[in-house]
């Protein structure tokens, strides 16, 4: 079916990818690396004269075997097949040791990051905080007074960053009605019903008036928090989010290809999930973190910000949150839009629905960037298998 998607002039009706089906299988196999043909977007420009090319040292890593659960054994290559991998790049000690693409992806094809987009915002926020442009202790309403009559009243920028805002919102990706559908329509991700009036992302916030707890309490995953942060960032810096991401992160780190981000009908960026990058450039973000946020002696992301992500999150807030069941028996926290497995060998990672991941193991100098088109938005069994696969790779590379 994947080979028949969007083939022909026009494509056959059964193979057409549209705004109504682009996030469902099998249509997502094509859509996830053609997002700008479906949803409006803004370019995050790279600098062609400042590209960082990493050396390659291919290794037979797909043969790594590991326990897949319930006594079954599998290999890393079989895991890539089972998890609908569109692109994977593994960097070890500054060299690309594994690179593979499928479903029509190439090394220069931008693919949607889904909620790994949040982790990219977390780095941009750190850059702006380090430059004293963004004050994390200020209330959100100091930058965006338009949300003063919503559940965000009294919340700080830091609480938005750490997903510890007491706003009532059900992040149910399989819902067919309710606030999450209104949210998607406001961001141009879902089509309008016949006769329905177009909304926009910033007007959507007036619907989030209900509270379900105190600000600064448990980890409570709410995607609109991150889009609101994008609004805060634009107000604080006086510039478009896409331009800031380009100027402060994408160009200085040496991205090889321009990225882009989906926008609503008035240009508001979908910071929570709409950023699209190549797999190589996503891996390069992880390499930047391993190198302390600097390139060629120039600080891009403050090293203190990376240390704060690694060490300063709240395990207590995590344990009270709804994601605990996805990572049982793992000591974790969430900080500045990054997940962290705590301990002597911390693992930083971003995670997005349908199998988007960026894993960074600073001790092993290992980066794993994986972009996928899994059928389910959240698949607990696939999250568990991914965790096992990543740990097998970490163990393999730790000794090399």
């Amino acid at each position: 079916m994947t080979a028949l998607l969007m083939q022909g002039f026009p494509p056959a009706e059964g193979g057409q990818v549209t705004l109504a089906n682009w996030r469902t299988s099998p249509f997502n196999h094509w859509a996830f690396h053609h997002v700008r043909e479906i949803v409006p977007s803004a370019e995050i420009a790279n600098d062609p004269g400042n590209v960082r090319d990493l050396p390659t040292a291919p290794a037979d890593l797909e043969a790594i075997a590991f326990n897949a659960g319930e006594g079954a054994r599998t290999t890393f290559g079989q895991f890539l097949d089972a998890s609908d991998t569109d692109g994977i790049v593994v960097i070890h000690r500054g060299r690309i040791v594994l690179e593979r693409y499928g479903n029509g992806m190439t090394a220069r094809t931008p693919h949607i990051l889904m909620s790994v987009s949040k982790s990219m915002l977390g780095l941009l926020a750190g850059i702006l905080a380090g430059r004293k442009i963004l004050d994390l202790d200020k209330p959100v309403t100091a930058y965006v007074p338009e949300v003063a009559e919503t559940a965000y009243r009294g919340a700080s920028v830091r609480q938005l960053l750490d997903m510890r805002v007491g706003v009532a919102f059900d992040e149910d990706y399989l819902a067919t009605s309710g606030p999450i559908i209104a949210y998607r329509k406001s961001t141009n991700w879902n089509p309008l019903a016949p006769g329905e009036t177009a909304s926009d992302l910033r007007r959507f916030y007036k619907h989030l008036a209900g509270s379900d707890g105190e600000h600064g309490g448990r980890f409570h995953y709410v995607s609109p928090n991150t889009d609101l942060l994008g609004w805060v960032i634009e107000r604080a810096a006086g510039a478009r989010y896409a331009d800031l991401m380009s100027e402060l992160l994408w160009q200085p780190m040496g991205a090889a290809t321009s990225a882009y981000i989906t926008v609503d009908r008035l240009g508001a960026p979908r910071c929570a999930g709409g950023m699209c990058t190549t797999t190589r450039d996503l891996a390069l973000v992880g390499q930047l973190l391993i190198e302390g946020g600097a390139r060629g002696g120039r600080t891009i992301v403050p090293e203190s910000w990376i240390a704060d992500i690694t060490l300063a999150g709240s395990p207590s807030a995590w344990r009270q949150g709804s994601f605990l069941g996805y990572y049982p028996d793992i000591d974790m926290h969430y900080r500045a839009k990054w997940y962290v497995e705590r301990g002597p060998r911390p693992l930083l990672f971003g995670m997005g629905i349908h199998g988007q991941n960026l894993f960074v193991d600073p001790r092993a100098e290992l980066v794993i960037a994986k972009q996928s088109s899994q059928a389910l938005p959240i698949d607990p069994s696939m999250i568990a298998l991914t965790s096992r696969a990543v740990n097998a790779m970490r163990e393999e590379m730790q000794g090399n």
Side-chain angles (χ1 to χ4, degrees), residues 170 172-185 190:
D170 185 10
D172 179 2
Y173 300 110
L174 299 178
T176 57
S177 62
I180 194 167
I181 300 302
Y183 169 54
R184 286 173 170 167
K185 288 179 179 179
N190 275 26

Side-chain angles (χ1 to χ4, degrees), residues 241-273:
Y241 183 86
D243 295 337
L244 291 166
M245 184 67 76
S246 169
E247 176 189 346
L248 300 179
L249 180 63
W250 219 241
Q251 294 190 43
M253 81 167 187
T257 307
S258 291
Y260 62 93
I261 189 166
T262 68
V263 295
D264 76 356
R265 67 188 184 91
L266 299 179
R270 180 79 195 277
C271 304

